[in-house]
Each structure stands twice: as structure tokens, then as C-alpha cells.
Amino acid sequence: METIQRPENQKFESTHIMGRREPSAHIEVCPFVGECLSIVVLGASGDLAKKKTYPSLFALWNTGFLPKDVLIMGYSRSKLTDDDLRQRITPGLSGKGSPVDIQAFLRLCVYRSGPFESEESWGKVEEEILSREQKFQGNANRLFYMAVPPSVFSPATVVISKLCMGKRGWNRFILEKPFGHDLASFEELSKSIDGLLKEEQIYRIDHYLGKEMVANLSCLRFANSIFEPLWNRNFIKTVTITFKEDIGTQGRGGYFDSVGIVRDVMQNHLLQVLSIVAMEAPIRLSGENFDEFVRNEKVKVLQCIDPIHVEECVLGQFTKSADGKNPGYQDDDTVPKGSKCPTFATIVLWIRNPRWEGVPFVIKAGKGLNERKAEIRIQFHAPPAAQYLYPTANSDITRNELVLRMQPEEAVYMKTNVKKPGLTDEIITSELDLSYKDRFPDDFAALPDAYTRLILEVLRGNQAAFVRDDELRAAWKIFSPFLEMVENWDPVPYEFGSRGPKESDELIGKLGFRYHGGTYRWLNRI
């Protein structure tokens, strides 16, 4: 069994001006930076590797979180040279470090091509990595980043597990979503690598779990005594988790049509956020084995969720904008004619446990909407007897809300009711506001990308921010029956640039959520 290092978090520092930071600065908390490390990026010729994987690896190397002479080997079917790969990934590194550091990093990046299932090709990879490792004393660790479709996981893992597993350190595998199309396909995928890898070697990446606000959520809940006593059905009326995009499919409609908004965003990203919002306190949130304690609690929450009721959901599909400048979903040439694929969904989930019984958890996601944002909105019960305490109030007293904005511009703010300044007794809504860019300007400017944070967690051996197999199984058990029921539903049309279908607001209103109706506007958005 591999040895898992679980050091406390080390500050991630920007080096855009200072230049590369030496690994020795982190060696006490990240021992791997003083050891031999080989990283193999499967699918190195693809967009994900170019836009996310290599820029994140450069950010880690440039801040001293990778060994100075790490080997980063790209592997794919495409016939490329080392220089071809370097030219392909260079634009993604531009502006993220000095030209000298970028060139030094590129020299560490090599490329090898071959079929993913080829024993001959992987045998040559093993010879090259082993020859390099023999020049080092101590541990020699290997990380395999699978930036490839799920269909490649099994054939590649069969050969790698047979020929390319290191003997002098840990071997870890990063797997990219989707992890199946439904419960049956997930089980098939899981069985295909079962026996080849141990669960402790597998890191199923969901980049939402690497976002700053999601990473901060458990700290906000459990390190502040004012929140946890209120975090239950006695004080909370509704919880809404929202993902909104103000763009359409942008020519990728063919891919999107095969998954839809529920599989693309809700079954993974939003459900993962929900599980952290709703979970019970783990035994530990840092220290030995804390990652397993966190994931245990997330699974328990998912197992308490009722099957989805179709009458408590709204599915929509955007049409062209009112001014005609933005086309509708079906105007995309890559989308099949007459497609019923939803680009918007609102779904109500019920958690049947003592903490949350009776509290609706609303998850909402859509494309072609009026703004880009992702947030968690916790709305509390109305203040009791407020209409009697303030009989002259010109409207209902607004409910308190705790809002955690995940993107853009991370923030936490609490909507509170205060007296309007001056010679008046009017009650207005304001906020207690923690906007990261204002409170932590230097740290905010240096915030690492979610992929950068997550790759570092893999190197540290911390699996808390990665999805375990039983979590995925529980998630698919919630969504698979629902997806089968609505497969041939006609989605409700909504205009590009709108808030989405009016039926969504009506559904949420029936659950007791109260929208401010435009009377309140968060000042940081002006």
C-alpha cells in the first residue's frame, strides 16, 4: 500500500514577477518535491491538456510545487514531435510566467505517440521512465493524467498496470469526467478498472471541487460558531444552488446534445456542492485520514436523497434572443433537428434526515441566460411576527440570505435588514459583505486555477476533493431513473438572455422561496 502524505495546506504564491520559486521552500510539507517524479499526460494533443493540464502543471512547477527536473511526458495517438507539442501548449502558458521560466518548463515536456492499448508503445515509455529513475536515489513517483474519453480508461489502464507501474514510490491516476452516462454505464466503467487499480490510487477529478469558494465551504460552516447552530431545518427555508451561463453552445452543440444540462452540470458539479453544504461534520477536516472522513459524510447525504419527482422539475431549451443577435439552440448546425435536449433545468431534491427534513434543495443550471454566475443561496425563515412588529412597513420584511458566490469574483455576503439612514423608519435590505477581491486583493490576484489546486492535492495524496466510487454510484442512483423518465420530454422554450422559463420561478415560489423582485441589488455587481 502506498504511503499517503497529508500535510497542511501551503500558501500558493504568484511568481509572475518574482520568477520561479525553488522546490526546497515546500519540501517539509510536500516531500515529493525532493523526489523523482514522472508525469504522463494521456491525451496530450487534446484541448483539455492544452488549456488546463499543461498550464496547471506549469503553475505548480513555477511556484516550486514540482521537482525542478520533473519529467512531463505527453502521450497520444497523434503523430507529433516534442517541438510540435511545445508549440501547441505555449499559448496557454503565455503571461503566466517569465519567458525564461516558460522556456525552461517546455524543455521538461516531451511527447511520445502510439495506440493507448499498445504494449509495444507503453513498453518503450516504461524503458524511458525507468532509465531516468535509475539516476535518482530514494522514491520515484509516477502520476498518470488521463485527459481522454472514458472509453480509453480501461484499455490504457490494462497496459499501464501491466508494464508501467513504478516500484519505488506511489502510482496515482487522475480520471476526467464523464464517469458514465447513467448508472449501468458507470458500473461497467468501474468494473473495467476494478482489480487493476486500488481506490487509493484513483483521483476522479471534478474541477468544481477545486474552486476557492467550494474549498472554503467546510471552513465557513465548521470554523464559525454563528453558522452551524443555524444550519438546519429549524432556521433554513430553502437552499438553492445555481449555475448560469450567458452563452450558448458555441458550435459544440453536437457534444452537448449527447449529454444535456443535467448530465453536464447537475449530476456532478452541483450535486457535489450540495453534498458539502448538507453533510454532517466529519470526524476531522485536516490531519490523518481526513479525506476519507469527508467523503464518508458526503456519501451519507447522497444516500438520504429521495428519488426525483418529475412534477418538481422544469426542463427548458433556449430560443433565439429578442433582438435576433443570438441564435437558438436548434439553430446550431451541429444540433440534430428537432432535438429535445434540455439546455436548462430546475430540479428539487429532498434530503430525508433529521437535519434537513422538509427543506427543499433546488439545483438550477442553464445556458443562454441573462448572466454568468454560480452560487449557493441559503434563504432563512421569515422573521417571526414581523408584520406585527412593523405594522407600517411598506412591504414584507425581506428574508435573510447567506450567499456564497463561486464565480465570477468569489464572495460571501449575508443579506440583512436595516433601517434606512435619515429621518425615516423605512426598512431596507443591505448586506454584510466579504468580497475576496476587496478584502484579499493580493491573494485574489494569485488565486490558482481549480485544476492547479486539484493536481497539487493529488501529489499530496489528499483525496478529499475527489469523487469516490460509492459517491458516484449514489449520485447515479438519484439521477438515472429521472433521466429515463424525461428522455422524450418536450423542453419549455425560453428566450436567449432571459432568466429562463417562468415555470422555474413559479416552481421555486411554490416551495416557499421569496425572490426580492428587483428591490435589492448587490452593490458589488453594479
Side-chain angles (χ1 to χ4, degrees):
M1 182 178 293
E2 62 176 301
T3 301
I4 306 296
Q5 302 289 340
R6 290 183 171 82
E8 299 300 320
N9 286 342
Q10 181 81 354
K11 184 176 180 181
F12 188 97
E13 299 180 16
S14 174
T15 58
H16 291 191
I17 299 175
M18 295 172 56
R20 183 175 184 274
R21 187 179 175 92
E22 287 302 314
S24 57
H26 306 303
I27 197 164
E28 289 187 8
V29 292
C30 299
F32 62 85
V33 300
E35 301 171 344
C36 178
L37 175 64
S38 302
I39 300 174
V40 182
V41 180
L42 287 80
S45 61
D47 275 354
L48 177 64
K50 178 177 68 174
K51 295 177 180 178
K52 293 295 183 181
T53 310
Y54 280 99
S56 293
L57 290 173
F58 173 68
L60 291 174
W61 180 83
N62 206 32
T63 46
F65 284 102
L66 288 180
K68 184 177 180 179
D69 50 3
V70 60
L71 170 66
I72 303 175
M73 179 184 291
Y75 185 96
S76 195
R77 295 189 183 98
S78 302
K79 299 291 186 182
L80 302 175
T81 65
D82 292 350
D83 286 341
D84 291 336
L85 174 72
R86 291 163 184 163
Q87 290 177 13
R88 186 178 289 243
I89 64 177
T90 295
L93 310 182
S94 179
K96 294 181 169 63
S98 71
V100 172
D101 289 334
I102 290 174
Q103 289 304 312
F105 173 79
L106 289 172
R107 287 194 291 271
L108 302 172
C109 300
V110 299
Y111 182 85
R112 305 295 177 259
S113 65
F116 290 111
E117 69 281 4
S118 169
E119 290 194 7
E120 179 183 359
S121 298
W122 282 109
K124 294 177 181 178
V125 168
E126 167 64 13
E127 289 177 6
E128 187 171 349
I129 294 176
L130 186 60
S131 174
R132 175 178 172 273
E133 288 178 345
Q134 289 172 345
K135 300 174 184 178
F136 292 83
Q137 300 294 321
N139 288 345
N141 305 309
R142 300 185 184 186
L143 171 62
F144 298 89
Y145 194 122
M146 294 199 170
V148 290
S151 59
V152 176
F153 290 174
S154 179
T157 303
V158 167
V159 184
I160 293 172
S161 64
K162 179 180 179 181
L163 299 177
C164 295
M165 300 289 269
K167 306 297 191 296
R168 289 168 41 202
W170 47 254
N171 297 274
R172 294 172 185 161
F173 291 73
I174 298 177
L175 306 186
E176 281 281 352
K177 78 176 186 73
F179 309 111
H181 193 72
D182 52 21
L183 180 60
S185 59
F186 161 72
E187 295 288 12
E188 183 179 352
L189 178 63
S190 182
K191 288 178 182 177
S192 71
I193 59 175
D194 188 30
L196 300 174
L197 303 176
K198 299 175 182 177
E199 184 63 30
E200 67 192 35
Q201 295 175 307
I202 301 173
Y203 293 74
R204 300 176 187 86
I205 196 167
D206 184 331
H207 77 273
Y208 247 62
L209 293 180
K211 288 186 175 293
E212 180 67 29
M213 191 51 62
V214 178
N216 190 31
L217 183 54
S218 58
C219 179
L220 186 76
R221 277 192 62 184
F222 300 117
N224 294 285
S225 60
I226 62 171
F227 290 126
E228 186 58 18
L230 309 179
W231 215 266
N232 56 64
R233 63 191 299 269
N234 297 322
F235 294 93
I236 292 176
K237 182 67 177 178
T238 63
V239 178
T240 306
I241 303 172
T242 302
F243 172 91
K244 299 174 73 173
E245 287 189 324
D246 56 2
I247 58 173
T249 51
Q250 296 184 320
R252 297 182 66 249
Y255 165 76
F256 184 84
D257 203 80
S258 67
V259 290
I261 197 69
V262 176
R263 289 184 175 92
D264 193 43
V265 176
M266 303 179 96
Q267 181 272 339
N268 38 66
H269 303 329
L270 299 194
L271 196 64
Q272 284 295 312
V273 174
L274 180 149
S275 66
I276 300 174
V277 171
M279 72 179 183
E280 297 296 320
I283 295 173
R284 278 190 294 275
L285 281 162
S286 64
E288 186 177 1
N289 293 327
F290 87 93
D291 44 3
E292 290 305 301
F293 297 141
V294 170
R295 299 202 291 181
N296 289 344
E297 297 304 328
K298 289 169 62 184
V299 172
K300 290 177 186 177
V301 168
L302 297 180
Q303 291 174 337
C304 290
I305 295 178
D306 257 0
I308 299 170
H309 305 290
V310 291
E311 63 272 16
E312 292 186 323
C313 79
V314 174
L315 301 179
Q317 187 182 96
F318 66 83
T319 59
K320 66 180 180 180
S321 58
D323 60 10
K325 292 181 179 179
N326 293 287
Y329 177 68
Q330 296 201 39
D331 296 327
D332 186 331
D333 292 338
T334 64
V335 173
K337 297 301 180 186
S339 170
K340 295 183 178 182
C341 175
T343 61
F344 176 98
T346 295
I347 295 175
V348 183
L349 299 175
W350 300 92
I351 301 174
R352 303 304 188 185
N353 66 16
R355 182 185 289 267
W356 297 115
E357 175 62 26
V359 178
F361 280 72
V362 181
I363 54 176
K364 183 168 62 172
K367 289 180 173 290
L369 298 174
N370 60 327
E371 61 182 331
R372 173 182 175 264
K373 76 174 181 180
E375 68 177 22
I376 305 161
R377 185 172 295 265
I378 299 169
Q379 188 171 93
F380 293 86
H381 288 293
Q387 68 272 34
Y388 303 108
L389 292 169
Y390 302 98
T392 60
N394 56 9
S395 63
D396 291 340
I397 303 298
T398 303
R399 294 176 181 176
N400 299 127
E401 289 183 352
L402 177 64
V403 182
L404 296 91
R405 175 162 291 227
M406 295 178 280
Q407 67 181 32
E409 297 185 351
E410 291 87 343
V412 182
Y413 62 96
M414 171 74 84
K415 288 171 60 175
T416 57
N417 296 309
V418 298
K419 189 188 83 66
K420 186 176 181 179
L423 301 176
T424 176
D425 61 358
E426 181 182 352
I427 297 173
I428 61 172
T429 302
S430 186
E431 65 282 314
L432 305 175
D433 185 6
L434 166 60
S435 293
Y436 275 46
K437 66 181 176 61
D438 297 329
R439 180 62 180 84
F440 310 108
D442 294 337
D443 292 308
F444 184 82
L447 277 181
D449 178 82
Y451 277 90
T452 304
R453 185 194 305 275
L454 291 172
I455 294 173
L456 179 57
E457 293 300 284
V458 176
L459 296 170
R460 286 171 164 164
N462 171 16
Q463 292 183 300
F466 298 87
V467 189
R468 205 166 60 189
D469 59 344
D470 53 348
E471 286 183 70
L472 279 168
R473 186 170 292 106
W476 279 121
K477 284 182 178 179
I478 295 167
F479 278 94
S480 281
F482 168 75
L483 288 166
E484 290 177 10
M485 287 188 287
V486 301
E487 186 173 359
N488 293 311
W489 268 29
D490 292 317
V492 178
Y494 65 94
E495 234 176 49
F496 188 106
S498 68
R499 281 174 46 83
K502 61 180 178 56
E503 289 85 350
S504 174
D505 287 338
E506 292 169 357
L507 171 62
I508 296 173
K510 291 176 183 177
L511 299 170
F513 178 85
R514 292 294 176 265
Y515 176 58
H516 57 74
T519 60
Y520 167 82
R521 187 172 179 83
W522 181 39
L523 288 178
N524 262 313
R525 295 179 58 204
I526 297 176

